[in-house]
Amino acid sequence: MNVRIRANYITPKGTEAFFTSEAMPAAKALLITEDLEKTQRAKQITFIDQNDSRWTMKELKKQLEAIQTEPHEVTVYFDGGFDRETKKSGLGCVIYYEQNNKKWRLRENALVEELETNNEAEYAALHLASQELELMGVHHLTVTFVGDSQVVINQLKGEWPCYEAVLNQWADRIEADFSRLGIDPAYEVISRKHNQEADRLATQALKGVDVTSTSEV
């Protein structure tokens, strides 16, 4: 969870100024704020999250305590593959996260038949991941999404235009999911070589092998 600090700073001679910091992890923001309070010059301190919701220090501390029992520090790897001969698509996602002071890995795949291109399969794999995040109870967090599809990631980042209506529909669906869950997405493109876990899951789905597992790592 990333937040910005907003405060009213008053100098010893009474000059006031409101300032808002850059976004940073909530734990870091609390440390800085506690140091600011020692000066007795910072007043009306609030924290603003990625959804522009405002938190008091007490509320933010309570939220961070609650987060420890919920999935956090979430990273998602996704991949989709389309078989031109069978017209079927395999989707795979691997979700790494922390919960209750332990590290976990969730793996999930799916076989679908209504898609028409590899790019659409990649979007569908990311959508599969967003559904899993909702089932896990992930909300109001920054989540890193990692994949080898430059098309999907660069379009979602707004760096590449999207001219295909069907891909726009997938992008809208995914962004609506993130907005509803309060997820602030960060994207990272990697090579296929470094996305082997998700790629393997997608391939297994095409072969009719269903995978659903959660394990400690």
Side-chain angles (χ1 to χ4, degrees):
M1 179 179 184
N2 288 337
V3 297
R4 290 170 288 144
I5 304 168
R6 178 168 172 78
N8 181 24
Y9 189 83
I10 306 174
T11 69
K13 293 185 177 181
T15 302
E16 298 184 34
F18 276 98
F19 73 88
T20 303
S21 74
E22 62 182 5
M24 65 186 75
K28 179 180 178 181
L30 285 172
L31 285 174
I32 291 174
T33 301
E34 288 172 355
D35 193 62
L36 278 173
E37 285 192 325
K38 292 177 183 178
T39 68
Q40 298 184 341
R41 296 176 186 170
K43 308 295 182 181
Q44 302 176 41
I45 299 174
T46 57
F47 303 90
I48 307 170
D49 66 19
Q50 62 268 20
N51 297 309
D52 288 329
S53 297
R54 293 177 180 265
W55 306 73
T56 65
M57 181 178 286
K58 182 178 180 180
E59 290 170 339
L60 189 58
K61 285 182 176 179
K62 187 175 181 180
Q63 174 68 4
L64 289 186
E65 289 174 0
I67 283 175
Q68 294 303 314
T69 64
E70 300 175 353
H72 58 283
E73 300 298 327
V74 183
T75 300
V76 176
Y77 292 81
F78 69 94
D79 195 31
F82 176 71
D83 189 320
R84 294 180 182 274
E85 293 184 4
T86 64
K87 303 299 182 182
K88 295 180 180 180
S89 299
L91 318 179
C93 68
V94 185
I95 303 175
Y96 287 91
Y97 62 99
E98 296 182 18
Q99 188 173 13
N100 294 322
N101 298 314
K102 294 182 179 180
K103 296 183 179 181
W104 303 89
R105 178 185 67 176
L106 180 151
R107 298 188 302 151
E108 181 76 21
N109 70 357
L111 178 67
V112 294
E113 300 184 10
E114 65 269 20
L115 309 182
E116 297 181 357
T117 66
N118 195 72
N119 284 336
E120 195 176 358
E122 293 277 9
Y123 265 108
L126 182 51
H127 184 251
L128 173 68
S130 74
Q131 292 177 309
E132 290 300 320
L133 292 175
E134 184 166 12
L135 290 173
M136 290 165 58
V138 174
H139 58 90
H140 296 97
L141 292 176
T142 298
V143 176
T144 302
F145 295 91
V146 185
D148 55 53
S149 173
Q150 293 193 47
V151 170
V152 170
I153 290 178
N154 286 323
Q155 285 180 349
L156 287 173
K157 289 170 67 176
E159 295 181 358
W160 287 10
C162 184
Y163 300 112
E164 299 178 55
V166 67
L167 298 187
N168 267 318
Q169 290 173 357
W170 278 109
D172 289 344
R173 191 178 307 171
I174 290 166
E175 289 173 350
D177 288 344
F178 294 165
S179 177
R180 185 179 69 257
L181 297 173
I183 289 175
D184 180 23
Y187 297 103
E188 180 182 345
V189 178
I190 58 174
S191 67
R192 188 173 183 180
K193 177 182 178 181
H194 292 99
N195 199 29
Q196 291 184 1
E197 271 195 300
D199 176 70
R200 188 180 304 115
L201 287 169
T203 300
Q204 288 175 313
L206 284 170
K207 294 179 179 179
V209 179
D210 294 329
V211 178
T212 299
S213 70
T214 302
S215 58
E216 188 177 351
V217 295

